[in-house]
Amino acid sequence: MGLGAKRTLTRLFFIKFFFNSAKVTHLKVPSYLCKMNTKLSEQEILRRESLEALRKEGINPYPAEEVPVNVLSETIKQEFPIKPEKYTSVCVAGRVMTKRIMGKASFLSIKDSSGRIQAYINRDVVCPGEDKTLYNVVFKKQLDIGDFVSLKGHVFTTKTEEISIHVSELKLLSKALKPLPVVKTDSQGEKHDEFNDPELRYRQRYVDLIVNEGVKEVFVKRTQVFNTMREVFNEKGYLEVETPILQSIPGGAAARPFMTHHNTLDMPLYLRISNELYLKRLIVGGFDGVYEFAKDFRNEGMDRTHNPEFTILEIYVAYKDYKWMMEFTESMFEKIARKTTGSAEVSFDGKKINLAAPYQRVPILEAIKTHTGFDLIDKNEAEIKKIAESLDVETSPDMGKGKVIDAIFGDKCEKYYVQPTFITDYPIEMSPLCKKHRDDERLTERFELFINGTEIANAYSELNDPIDQKERFEDQLGLQEKGDDEAMFIDKDFLRSLEYGMPPTSGMGIGMDRLVMLLTGKTSIQEVIFFPQMRPEKNE
RNA sequence: GACUCGAUAGCUCAGCUGGUAGAGCAAUACACUUUUAAUGUAUGGGUCCUGGGUUCGAGCCCCAGUCGGGUCACCA
C-alpha cells in the first residue's frame, strides 16, 4: 500500500469518526455556505463573451509570464519633469481605471500600487502593420475597466500638461469579469458616484481599496504606527513575542470570552481576551522587556468603537514602574504622531488634539471630585452606590465597589478628557492585577490614558506579590458569585509563576485600532480594520 | 438588546395623493489621431431586500423577517 493511499484511508477513518462524534454539533454547515449564486448581469455576460473571444484570437487573458515592470507610476510623475531622459523606455503595469476612445487615438488611466497614471494609445503606433485588430478589437472592444494590463512606451507630457505614457505595446495581464464602480472626480475635486455604501465597502473591501482614494492610505498609516512602535521597542532591546490565543483560562482582563472546543483534548478552550498573564510569565522567565501585538477577542457588543476581534499592543518592562511608563508612553505617542501625520497635533471629530508630551496626570478620585463634587476615598460600597444613584449613574447588585466607581467615571468624567490625560491611582477593587499604591493601600499604581474621552491605554506597576495576587483573585471569585460574569478566573499556574519571583515590572496595553482611528481621523473602527466583522450575506 | 433611518439597473441616486419604474456614470453600437467628470447620436439593462396582507391595482400603505448605518444600553 502506497503512502498516499494509506493516508487517504486514515483520513476517511478520521472523517467517519469525526462525523459520528455526537459532541461535534457546531460543524453543521450553515446554508449560506452551500450555494453559489450564479445569476449574471448583462455586463458580466458580455465580459465572459469577451473572454472567450480573446481566447479564440489566441490571447491568453490570464498569462503566466513575469511582467518586466521597471517603474511605478508615482515615480514617473515625480521624476519625469526633472530627468526626462530616464523615461524613454518604461514598462508599467496596473488596473485600467478609465478609458476614453477618440477614433484612432485613445487615453486610458491605469492604477498601480503607487497611484494612477494616464496613457496615450495611438492606433498606428500600437499596430504599425496592416492588421489593426489589436487596437480596433482587443483594445477598443474587449479591454474593460478593471482589467490588468502592462504598458511599454515612453513618457511624455500631453497638450493639457499631464504626464502620460505614450504606449508602443499593450498586453492584457488579467481580465476582470465584474464591472468596477467608476468613481469620477471633477475639476473642482468633487467626487461623483462615489462607492460609499458602508455595507458594500466593508464586505468587498477589495473594491473599496481599488476605487476609493484614501482607503489604502489609512491602512498604510496603520502599519506605520505599528512599525514605529516596533522601532521604539526594538531600540530598547525589548523582544517581540507570541503567546497563546487559545487559552484554557481566559485571563488578564474583565470580559466575556468566545468559547470553542478542542476535539482531541476534548476540552473547552477560549479565545484570549488578553495576553497579559503570559507576558508576565515571560518576565518571570528572565526577559527584561517583552511585547506583543495581540489579536484579542471579546464576545460583547459591537459599535463604532468595538469589533469582536481587535488588536492590543501589550508591553512589559522589568525594573520599571507606572511613572516611567507614563513618560515612555507620552514620548512614544508624540513620535508616532509626528511620523505618521507629520505633526504632534491631530484633528479628530472636529477637535484639535495635541499629542506632544508631557500629558496631564489626574488621579481618578480627584477627577470624580472635580466633575461630581463627591470625594469617594474611604467610602464603602453602599455609600458609593448611593452617590452613584444620586448622580443618575445606573448600578446593579452584582457590581462591586470597583465597577461602581468605574461607572461613575465613565458616565460623568471621561468625556472631559479630550486632550491626552493620564488618569491615575485607581481604587484597588478595580484593578486585581495591579500593585498597591506605594503611598496609599486603598489605591493602585495604575493609569489609563484618555484621549478624546476614550481610553487608549491602560498600564500598571504590575502586582508581583504572589500572596496579594492570590487574595485579589479570590476577591474576583466573590464577584463571580455575586453574578459578575466578567470577574476574572483564578489562574493557578500564573500564581505559581509569581511565587518563583517576578521583578518589579511595569506593563501596558494600548488599543491599537483606536489609536489608528485617532491618527487617521476615522470615527468608526470599521474604517481601520480591513475586514470588520459582519453578518454573513444572505444567499438568494 | 432598544429606538431610529435606509435597501430601486454594475455604481450613485430620483420615483408625486397607490395606476405595470427613471436619470447620471458604467455597458452596447456608430463617429472622432493629445482627451481628462472627453464629446455627439442611438440602444440594451430591473426578483424595486424577502415573505405575507390590504386593494380592481403596491416600489409606495399595513404586518413579520433579513442585512446595513446611526443613537442608546451592555461593554474597555
Side-chain angles (χ1 to χ4, degrees):
Chain A
M1 197 186 278
L3 191 62
K6 195 171 169 187
R7 194 179 290 154
T8 309
L9 255 192
T10 315
R11 181 169 298 163
L12 278 174
F13 174 76
F14 173 73
I15 289 168
K16 191 159 183 252
F17 174 77
F18 197 69
F19 281 102
N20 284 346
S21 167
K23 280 172 205 123
V24 189
T25 51
H26 59 283
L27 282 172
K28 202 177 142 197
V29 179
S31 63
Y32 57 81
L33 292 176
C34 295
K35 280 188 281 180
M36 284 284 285
N37 191 348
T38 50
K39 203 188 163 197
L40 296 177
S41 70
E42 184 192 33
Q43 293 191 48
E44 288 172 313
I45 292 164
L46 285 165
R47 285 179 180 225
R48 277 168 173 74
E49 285 169 4
S50 290
L51 186 76
E52 281 320 302
L54 284 162
R55 286 206 165 106
K56 276 188 189 137
E57 288 150 22
I59 295 169
N60 180 359
Y62 303 103
E65 306 90 69
E66 185 184 348
V67 183
V69 178
N70 59 19
V71 67
L72 289 173
S73 63
E74 197 51 42
T75 313
I76 294 176
K77 285 196 275 188
Q78 280 174 13
E79 257 197 22
F80 178 72
I82 311 157
K83 296 178 187 167
E85 69 282 358
K86 269 183 78 179
Y87 293 97
T88 52
S89 177
V90 296
C91 178
V92 295
R95 190 189 291 275
V96 176
M97 299 305 286
T98 64
K99 226 175 124 186
R100 292 183 290 280
I101 295 172
M102 292 165 306
K104 299 179 187 69
S106 300
F107 288 90
L108 70 156
S109 60
I110 65 160
K111 178 179 183 163
D112 66 13
S113 65
S114 69
R116 293 186 187 213
I117 193 157
Q118 179 175 264
Y120 171 73
I121 298 201
N122 185 301
R123 187 193 69 179
D124 299 324
V125 171
V126 181
C127 306
E130 281 299 298
D131 183 6
K132 306 293 184 193
T133 314
L134 180 71
Y135 182 82
N136 285 341
V137 180
V138 176
F139 170 73
K140 272 168 73 171
K141 300 200 189 291
Q142 291 161 348
L143 185 74
D144 292 304
I145 289 173
D147 294 354
F148 277 90
V149 292
S150 65
L151 305 172
K152 286 186 188 169
H154 66 270
V155 181
F156 76 116
T157 307
T158 62
K159 265 197 217 163
T160 48
E161 290 183 346
E162 179 159 346
I163 294 169
S164 309
I165 295 164
H166 198 292
V167 177
S168 56
E169 206 182 313
L170 172 140
K171 189 180 177 198
L172 176 64
L173 300 180
S174 179
K175 183 100 197 94
L177 295 181
K178 279 194 183 294
L180 212 53
V182 177
V183 180
K184 295 194 176 180
T185 309
D186 65 23
S187 44
Q188 272 85 51
E190 202 73 27
K191 284 218 177 88
H192 298 267
D193 303 326
E194 193 178 5
F195 180 64
N196 59 10
D197 179 339
E199 182 170 0
L200 289 177
R201 286 186 51 228
Y202 303 148
R203 284 195 198 283
Q204 301 184 46
R205 180 69 88 182
Y206 36 90
V207 178
D208 190 33
L209 285 161
I210 295 165
V211 303
N212 288 334
E213 299 299 327
V215 174
K216 203 169 174 179
E217 199 183 308
V218 168
F219 291 97
V220 170
K221 265 192 188 168
R222 182 181 170 114
T223 299
Q224 271 173 5
V225 173
F226 280 63
N227 286 345
T228 305
M229 288 172 81
R230 280 198 172 95
E231 271 168 39
V232 170
F233 301 150
N234 291 346
E235 256 168 41
K236 296 230 172 215
Y238 307 151
L239 189 72
E240 182 163 13
V241 298
E242 291 177 283
T243 62
I245 291 173
L246 290 173
Q247 301 180 350
S248 52
I249 299 165
R256 274 187 288 268
F258 284 92
M259 210 186 290
T260 185
H261 181 263
H262 192 286
N263 290 339
T264 303
L265 297 176
D266 189 19
M267 62 179 280
L269 282 173
Y270 301 88
L271 272 64
R272 73 174 164 209
I273 53 174
S274 164
N275 56 354
E276 169 158 357
L277 303 186
Y278 285 93
L279 292 178
K280 287 194 216 174
R281 284 171 170 98
L282 296 180
I283 297 293
V284 171
F287 293 102
D288 275 349
V290 288
Y291 70 95
E292 179 177 15
F293 289 100
K295 267 284 179 76
D296 286 349
F297 306 83
R298 298 189 184 175
N299 205 343
E300 289 160 356
M302 291 163 63
D303 59 32
R304 233 176 46 244
T305 54
H306 299 260
N307 196 59
E309 60 179 287
F310 60 103
T311 307
I312 284 195
L313 169 277
E314 294 241 11
I315 177 163
Y316 290 80
V317 184
Y319 312 116
K320 306 293 184 192
D321 65 1
Y322 80 134
K323 291 184 181 173
W324 174 89
M325 190 63 91
M326 282 190 252
E327 282 170 27
F328 181 68
T329 304
E330 59 198 8
S331 77
M332 179 170 70
F333 272 43
E334 177 172 350
K335 183 171 181 181
I336 294 168
R338 288 191 193 280
K339 263 201 136 163
T340 55
T341 71
S343 160
E345 194 175 79
V346 299
S347 292
F348 190 83
D349 209 7
K351 293 163 222 162
K352 291 254 180 258
I353 292 168
N354 185 3
L355 292 170
Y359 303 160
Q360 205 194 350
R361 301 178 183 190
V362 182
I364 186 170
L365 294 182
E366 222 167 83
I368 291 174
K369 209 159 109 187
T370 306
H371 296 290
T372 69
F374 289 101
D375 189 350
L376 303 185
I377 197 84
D378 280 335
K379 296 277 189 303
N380 64 32
E381 189 179 315
E383 290 167 323
I384 291 174
K385 279 195 174 174
K386 223 170 150 187
I387 289 170
E389 274 154 40
S390 77
L391 290 167
D392 265 339
V393 174
E394 238 179 275
T395 63
S396 61
D398 62 290
M399 286 167 93
K401 186 174 164 184
K403 276 210 157 186
V404 180
I405 292 171
D406 196 24
I408 294 172
F409 180 78
D411 252 37
K412 299 292 165 192
C413 310
E414 68 179 27
K415 59 184 173 231
Y416 298 109
Y417 298 102
V418 172
Q419 297 305 319
T421 307
F422 293 115
I423 301 295
T424 66
D425 303 346
Y426 286 66
I428 193 158
E429 298 82 358
M430 296 172 66
S431 317
L433 300 169
C434 184
K435 196 177 263 195
K436 280 178 189 155
H437 199 282
R438 62 194 81 177
D439 302 325
D440 189 338
E441 288 235 314
R442 297 162 298 184
L443 305 176
T444 53
E445 301 220 340
R446 173 182 185 182
F447 73 78
E448 292 191 325
L449 173 58
F450 282 83
I451 305 178
N452 194 42
T454 314
E455 181 209 344
I456 294 277
N458 180 21
Y460 307 148
S461 295
E462 299 295 336
L463 178 53
N464 61 345
D465 173 346
I467 293 168
D468 188 359
Q469 182 65 79
K470 183 163 185 278
E471 286 166 8
R472 304 272 199 101
F473 272 145
E474 280 160 2
D475 292 344
Q476 290 289 305
L477 214 59
L479 288 176
Q480 245 174 47
E481 278 155 14
K482 270 174 101 174
D484 184 345
D485 58 359
E486 294 186 338
M488 292 184 192
F489 295 91
I490 296 185
D491 186 331
K492 286 185 183 149
D493 175 67
F494 172 65
L495 285 174
R496 179 168 61 190
S497 75
L498 290 188
E499 288 186 14
Y500 283 100
M502 182 172 87
T505 297
S506 184
M508 170 168 66
I510 295 174
M512 293 302 295
D513 308 287
R514 290 181 185 176
L515 178 60
V516 173
M517 286 167 68
L518 182 73
L519 293 166
T520 55
K522 297 294 173 194
T523 53
S524 163
I525 200 167
Q526 298 173 109
E527 295 290 346
V528 302
I529 293 176
F530 271 129
F531 303 104
Q533 197 55 241
M534 292 246 165
R535 283 201 163 86
E537 283 176 79
K538 66 183 166 196
N539 195 282
E540 279 300 276

